[in-house]
Amino acid sequence: MSTAIEFNHVGKQYRLGLVSTGTIAHDLNRWWQTSILRHEDPYLKIGSVNDRAQKADSEYVWALRDIDFKVEQGDVVGIIGKNGAGKSTLLKLLSKVTAPTTGTIRARGRIASLLEVGTGFHGEMTGRENIYMNGAILGMTKQEIAAKLDEIVAFSGCERYIDTPVKRYSSGMMVRLGFAVAAHLDPEILVVDEVLAVGDAEFQKKAIGKMKDVSQGEGRTVLFVSHNMTSIKSLCKHGVILQNGMLIDQGEIDPIVSHYLRGDNDLDNHKVWNEPYKGNNGFELLEIGVRPKGGDYTDVMRVSDELELVMRYRLQQPLEKFWITLHLKNEQGERLFSTTGANRCYDKHHEAGEYEQICHLPKDFFNWGTFTIDFMAFNQPSNIECLMSESDFISFTLANRPVEIGGWMGREPGDITPKFEYIEHKVH
């Protein structure tokens, strides 16, 4: 199998807040060093890591740094990472929307990209005209495009509006037509960003099925970015994890998804900071962890244990109306439910100081497996103010209850298996 895409030590550097280097002196220095003296760009030697949660210590930031991996022809690769990790930047470099600062990218074949709603569309042109324009950009003849036209329109479900300017399309319609064009005009490489999240559930299912067809049946290569781990696992064979602009892991998709959801902590169910983890408006998180009720963070947790989620935090100033919201998710990143302290005696005035809040999770409620938690803290003096918002912030794993040999050893379907009360009595 031949290599379809090859990233060789690729990096992309930006200057925060400004275009170019921002000053004539910097621009002249860069030109003199690179064009006249043939030296390395002096501004490549500086720059902070792309961590959106930390204050920058440099005017320059590496959106991507030293990305090095290959994608084989016909493979489907999931690009995984938190917001700001560099996923979209990577796809823009591959699609030649922008050029890398360092390194090289080799791609064999035509590339069709769907990076955001309306990518490659002209708002004043009709859907039909945009199909022909996109096909021409890919190097197809008018006859080749016409042969695919009916199939593209049918797949998009936009037949009624195909002769209407796309500026009048909804975002969902734009995604439908954009994906249909990208998938049907015979590109050797299909690049799809998170845009499918805009479409409805029926179209998402159809789009994922189409990507499977073009990769497995037609041998085309697909790069897919999504925060939906169910879609990633159902579609992709391999995965790549980006963090703060750097590649931290790659390989088969199942262990890659588990690594991403688990994080890099030795103890995934407990985080404690020597220096407070700072949010907005004086909110500081000191500790968060999940443990058996009355137990220790190192104890094995089972589905039959009552759990407690302990959160310790500090308020540097009084808050008028404060609460914490949690989203609990399964291994595929699907949200199971949310829970909040609001309207449960927590949405009251808080004085400055250190607090501990404990959320009790009932026993015999979760199935066994690994679960992750999104953490959010809010204040509402007049309008709602987000003090902190972190996705996949902490995880915990539940083991099955002890089972005797010969008993049912498998996993029941579903992520929650609550033990409801059943009452039986003989009526006759």
Side-chain angles (χ1 to χ4, degrees), residues 363-418:
K363 64 180 181 179
D364 295 322
F365 178 76
F366 292 98
N367 205 343
W368 52 275
T370 299
F371 302 87
T372 58
I373 298 175
D374 296 345
F375 176 90
M376 286 149 281
F378 298 97
N379 182 41
Q380 189 175 3
S382 55
N383 298 320
I384 294 178
E385 173 188 19
C386 182
L387 304 176
M388 181 176 288
S389 179
E390 292 293 339
S391 298
D392 307 321
F393 199 45
I394 195 168
S395 66
F396 63 96
T397 300
L398 296 181
N400 197 7
R401 59 176 54 81
V403 179
E404 296 182 2
I405 299 298
W408 167 246
M409 304 292 289
R411 189 179 190 271
E412 298 289 347
D415 295 299
I416 58 173
T417 53

Side-chain angles (χ1 to χ4, degrees), residues 46-342:
I46 59 177
S48 58
V49 174
N50 184 27
D51 187 350
R52 60 185 170 85
Q54 301 295 326
K55 184 177 179 180
D57 56 6
S58 170
E59 295 180 349
Y60 297 88
V61 64
W62 287 96
L64 290 171
R65 187 151 200 180
D66 202 27
I67 304 298
D68 195 43
F69 70 96
K70 297 179 181 179
V71 179
E72 302 300 323
Q73 181 182 350
D75 201 357
V76 185
V77 178
I79 312 296
I80 305 171
K82 295 183 179 181
N83 292 331
K87 306 182 299 299
S88 296
T89 301
L90 184 73
L91 299 190
K92 287 177 181 177
L93 294 178
L94 176 62
S95 304
K96 299 183 180 180
V97 173
T98 185
T101 307
T102 62
T104 59
I105 302 173
R106 292 187 176 91
R108 294 167 177 84
R110 294 178 295 191
I111 301 174
S113 303
L114 192 58
L115 302 181
E116 58 186 35
V117 176
T119 298
F121 282 177
H122 192 294
E124 300 295 337
M125 297 170 64
T126 67
R128 188 187 306 273
E129 291 168 339
N130 272 289
I131 293 174
Y132 278 97
M133 181 181 71
N134 273 260
I137 291 172
L138 286 174
M140 300 178 67
T141 66
K142 187 175 181 179
Q143 290 73 22
E144 289 174 320
I145 301 169
K148 293 275 187 178
L149 183 64
D150 291 342
E151 188 179 353
I152 292 171
V153 174
F155 186 92
S156 71
C158 299
E159 295 95 332
R160 186 174 182 180
Y161 303 97
I162 198 64
D163 292 309
T164 300
V166 298
K167 69 179 181 180
R168 297 194 176 95
Y169 285 21
S170 69
S171 59
M173 290 169 59
M174 195 86 78
V175 166
R176 280 175 168 268
L177 186 60
F179 180 83
V181 170
H184 286 82
L185 289 181
D186 294 333
E188 282 76 26
I189 300 171
L190 179 60
V191 177
V192 183
D193 206 340
E194 186 65 66
V195 291
L196 290 186
V198 179
D200 53 52
E202 177 267 334
F203 179 72
Q204 289 181 33
K205 183 177 179 180
K206 184 161 68 169
I208 289 173
K210 179 62 179 177
M211 284 190 279
K212 282 185 176 180
D213 291 342
V214 300
S215 62
Q216 298 173 4
E218 303 172 29
R220 287 187 262 170
T221 307
V222 179
L223 262 65
F224 182 48
V225 166
S226 179
H227 290 286
N228 187 328
M229 293 301 110
T230 301
S231 299
I232 287 283
K233 291 186 73 171
S234 66
L235 175 65
C236 303
K237 300 176 185 176
H238 298 92
V240 171
I241 301 178
L242 297 182
Q243 180 176 302
N244 299 333
M246 293 177 284
L247 191 154
I248 62 171
D249 199 4
Q250 59 179 308
E252 299 289 333
I253 195 62
D254 286 341
I256 286 295
V257 169
S258 296
H259 180 179
Y260 169 66
L261 295 175
R262 185 180 68 248
D264 291 319
N265 300 292
D266 294 331
L267 194 60
D268 303 323
N269 60 301
H270 185 219
K271 290 183 177 181
V272 60
W273 291 269
N274 294 325
E275 294 294 328
Y277 190 74
K278 296 184 179 182
N280 300 319
N281 205 12
F283 177 78
E284 299 178 347
L285 192 60
L286 306 176
E287 182 179 9
I288 183 170
V290 182
R291 65 190 180 193
K293 185 178 180 181
D296 191 81
Y297 292 111
T298 59
D299 293 342
V300 174
M301 292 180 282
R302 298 187 180 275
V303 296
S304 52
D305 293 331
E306 183 178 352
L307 308 176
E308 52 187 18
L309 172 59
V310 181
M311 297 161 283
R312 196 163 54 86
Y313 49 89
R314 182 185 297 126
L315 305 181
Q316 292 288 1
Q317 62 185 38
L319 295 179
E320 184 64 30
K321 206 173 193 181
F322 167 82
W323 73 90
I324 288 173
T325 294
L326 307 169
H327 293 170
L328 278 86
K329 304 189 292 190
N330 61 14
E331 289 188 13
Q332 285 72 46
E334 300 169 316
R335 288 181 175 86
L336 303 178
F337 60 89
S338 65
T339 179
T340 179

Side-chain angles (χ1 to χ4, degrees), residues 349-363:
H349 178 78
H350 280 63
E351 295 295 335
E354 188 172 317
Y355 293 83
E356 182 180 74
Q357 187 176 142
I358 299 177
C359 174
H360 291 280
L361 303 174
K363 64 180 181 179

